[in-house]
Amino acid sequence: MTSALFDNAGMRALDAAGLALPGMAPGELMERAGQALLDTLRRHWPQARRIGIVCGPGNNGGDGYVLARLAAEAGLQVRVHGGPSRARPDSDGRRAHARWRDGGGEVHTLESFDPAAAEVWVDCLFGIGLERPLTDAYGELIERLNTSGAPILAADVPSGVDIDSGRVLGRAVRAERTLTMIADKLGLHTGPAVDVVGAVEVAPLDLPPAIFDGVAPVARRVGPSDWSRGLPPRRPGAHKGDCGHVLVVGGAPGYSGAARLTATAALRAGAGRVTLATHPEHTAWANLERPELMVQGVRDAGELQALMRRVDVVAVGPGLGLDAWGRGLWLAVADAEMPRVVDADALNLLAEAPRRAADWVLTPHPGEAARLQGADRAAIEADRPGQVRALAERLGGVVLLKGAGTLVAAASDAGPLACVTGGHPGMATAGSGDVLTGIIAALRAQGADARGAAETGAAWHCAAARVARDRLGGARGMLAGDLADALPAAAGGGQ
């Protein structure tokens, strides 16, 4: 289950299954969580002798009180801040709190928080069940904790993060690391949460795989270590006709760059042939620096339809524009019954007149998704998992919602989402999305189905960004063309 990502309901089911195991003593899971936190502190901050812990009113706070006791027994200096407990008197959290106090441990008030009292702070305020913005004394504590300058380890979830959606509920702890318990959570890997979770580790707490029986994950994580298994195989005797023909449609007057990036990326991603259908004023020079591209000037939908009959996949939208020329070409592609990848201006035209199709991949960023949904960007980012599912259900095919923690949903599949991770901020550059469109189109041309092409394409996009960063010596200033050129090296393995 290492790639499985769960939501609040799933985690509560897993926790209940763990507690119900034969021989599981009261408080045993909490003891294991506290020990896992101590082991993580020792592994990542071995020189730290002064440990600070902020404890909330429930079981997440209970993990903190167990950690405090174990750290003190190990000879560390421990300072604990906490508020009044709201846990039941017979709960594991209340018992952990009492055991810390009965052993002589002190609990300082939230208001007396002293950031200089510890070399490392551990956030044990709130776990997976938080449903309200933290604006009270806990919110003030989080602000002081975040500005303390000390590294922060979050227990299970940084306080203030919604694990269902990845949204931040007002204020959230900015952790350097998050040690999440039992299993990984979707909300740690997508949306605004990615800015506050730091490096995420999973502590399985020595629970058997049987606890996962009957508990379905809400998503699967596709990362740098496993994505390449989705690349279509290529036989030793393959020729260009076996590897598909991609048609890229875009490049209104003055906007040729995006479509050329998409076409170049399709070549780099292994398409056997790529034709760029662009405005006639670009035809003479659109492939000067990339002679491998075939370029066709198209004046209207009729000319485009003739080209579409000779290709396997159409990628439409980059630089297409919203004037009459682009609108006519979009309608021709929208009406075609063939594999399509829809991006950029084509998505904006789709938003104006929504339609549903089975055989396309839509690749909106949050702004385009907002237009498709008739909402604002904040609404999209507040519930990325729900929004990508809603888009797929309404518009059909496969929807890839771009951003940190890219999500992929298919209208025909009610199973787990795909959550693609492993990118970096250097990808936030003009043309990066156009490259992704070309990758997905090339994978479709080589035989991948729509969902597989979207998932594998997004992960390959991230892997290539890592290669490009290493080649350049840094991520800042990376160009979309660098990313496209890094695709073969990122694939590796003779693919």
Side-chain angles (χ1 to χ4, degrees):
M1 301 296 289
T2 55
S3 68
L5 301 173
F6 293 86
D7 60 4
N8 195 347
M11 287 310 306
R12 292 191 183 282
L14 292 175
D15 190 59
L19 291 171
L21 288 170
M24 182 65 70
E28 176 61 25
L29 271 187
M30 193 166 282
E31 288 290 317
R32 295 183 189 182
Q35 185 63 57
L37 288 166
L38 179 58
D39 293 344
T40 300
L41 283 168
R42 284 172 158 167
R43 187 166 63 253
H44 293 290
W45 296 280
Q47 305 306 316
R49 306 301 302 168
R50 295 180 295 119
I51 306 300
I53 308 168
V54 290
C55 293
N59 281 344
N60 200 245
D63 293 345
Y65 290 117
V66 172
L67 169 62
R69 174 174 52 80
L70 296 177
E73 291 172 356
L76 299 175
Q77 298 177 40
V78 180
R79 183 178 179 89
V80 176
H81 289 270
S85 176
R86 295 199 295 266
R88 301 187 317 274
D90 61 343
S91 70
D92 292 342
R94 182 66 70 89
R95 284 192 290 266
H97 177 271
R99 189 172 179 184
W100 167 248
R101 295 297 295 263
D102 293 346
E106 187 174 2
V107 180
H108 299 271
T109 65
L110 302 178
E111 292 77 11
S112 65
F113 174 74
D114 178 9
E119 298 164 86
V120 181
W121 286 95
V122 184
D123 163 31
C124 296
L125 291 174
F126 295 93
I128 64 173
L130 188 68
E131 297 178 349
R132 63 178 179 87
L134 294 172
T135 57
D136 51 12
Y138 287 108
E140 294 174 8
L141 174 62
I142 285 174
E143 285 300 305
R144 297 183 67 192
L145 186 63
N146 286 340
T147 58
S148 69
I152 301 169
L153 171 65
D156 202 24
V157 180
S159 296
V161 167
D162 179 350
I163 68 161
D164 286 354
S165 65
R167 66 181 173 137
V168 170
L169 299 166
R171 298 169 176 170
V173 169
R174 290 196 297 270
E176 184 171 313
R177 308 194 76 85
T178 295
L179 182 69
T180 198
M181 307 301 172
I182 302 179
D184 211 348
K185 287 91 175 163
L186 174 58
L188 300 179
H189 299 285
T190 192
V194 301
D195 288 331
V196 301
V197 299
V200 177
E201 300 178 30
V202 178
L205 304 187
D206 296 323
L207 293 174
I211 69 164
F212 293 94
D213 293 346
V215 183
V218 70
R220 296 176 295 101
R221 187 178 177 188
V222 181
S225 62
D226 57 6
W227 70 269
S228 60
R229 290 195 294 269
L231 287 177
R234 181 168 292 192
R235 62 184 178 80
H239 57 80
K240 66 182 180 182
D242 297 327
C243 301
H245 189 169
V246 172
L247 177 65
V248 176
V249 182
Y255 295 96
S256 65
R260 286 189 292 147
L261 278 170
T262 298
T264 298
L267 283 173
R268 288 295 193 192
R273 291 174 289 176
V274 177
T275 296
L276 171 58
T278 189
H279 194 275
E281 76 173 40
H282 302 146
T283 307
W285 52 269
N287 66 345
L288 285 180
E289 78 281 17
R290 186 64 65 201
E292 301 90 346
L293 285 176
M294 296 178 284
V295 178
Q296 291 286 328
V298 291
R299 290 169 293 185
D300 53 37
E303 293 183 353
L304 181 62
Q305 287 167 338
L307 286 176
M308 286 194 292
R309 288 192 286 269
R310 303 200 298 268
V311 303
D312 301 299
V313 180
V314 178
V316 60
L320 185 66
L322 303 177
D323 62 10
W325 179 81
R327 289 174 183 275
L329 300 189
W330 156 243
L331 289 175
V333 176
D335 289 338
E337 294 184 1
M338 62 187 303
R340 289 150 294 171
V341 183
V342 183
D343 188 23
D345 287 331
L347 291 172
N348 295 325
L349 292 169
L350 176 62
E352 291 181 7
R355 60 167 71 198
R356 182 182 172 86
D359 198 2
W360 61 18
V361 178
L362 311 180
T363 63
H365 58 55
E368 291 160 345
R371 289 188 282 277
L372 287 166
Q373 287 288 70
D376 59 28
R377 185 185 180 113
I380 301 298
E381 290 291 72
D383 185 14
R384 287 170 57 82
Q387 294 287 351
V388 74
R389 285 193 185 278
L391 280 168
E393 198 60 37
R394 187 162 69 89
L395 300 174
V398 172
V399 178
L400 181 150
L401 179 57
K402 292 185 279 199
T406 289
L407 298 178
V408 180
S412 60
D413 186 355
L417 301 172
C419 180
V420 181
T421 62
H424 60 72
M427 300 169 74
T429 186
S432 180
D434 303 316
V435 169
L436 176 59
T437 297
I439 299 170
I440 296 171
L443 291 173
R444 287 240 62 194
Q446 293 169 81
D449 63 24
R451 179 160 187 166
E455 293 180 13
T456 300
W460 193 1
H461 192 237
C462 291
R466 290 184 166 200
V467 171
R469 175 195 60 195
D470 294 344
R471 284 177 173 177
L472 295 167
R476 194 182 297 268
M478 187 181 78
L479 304 180
D482 300 323
L483 199 161
D485 288 344
L487 287 167
Q495 292 284 344

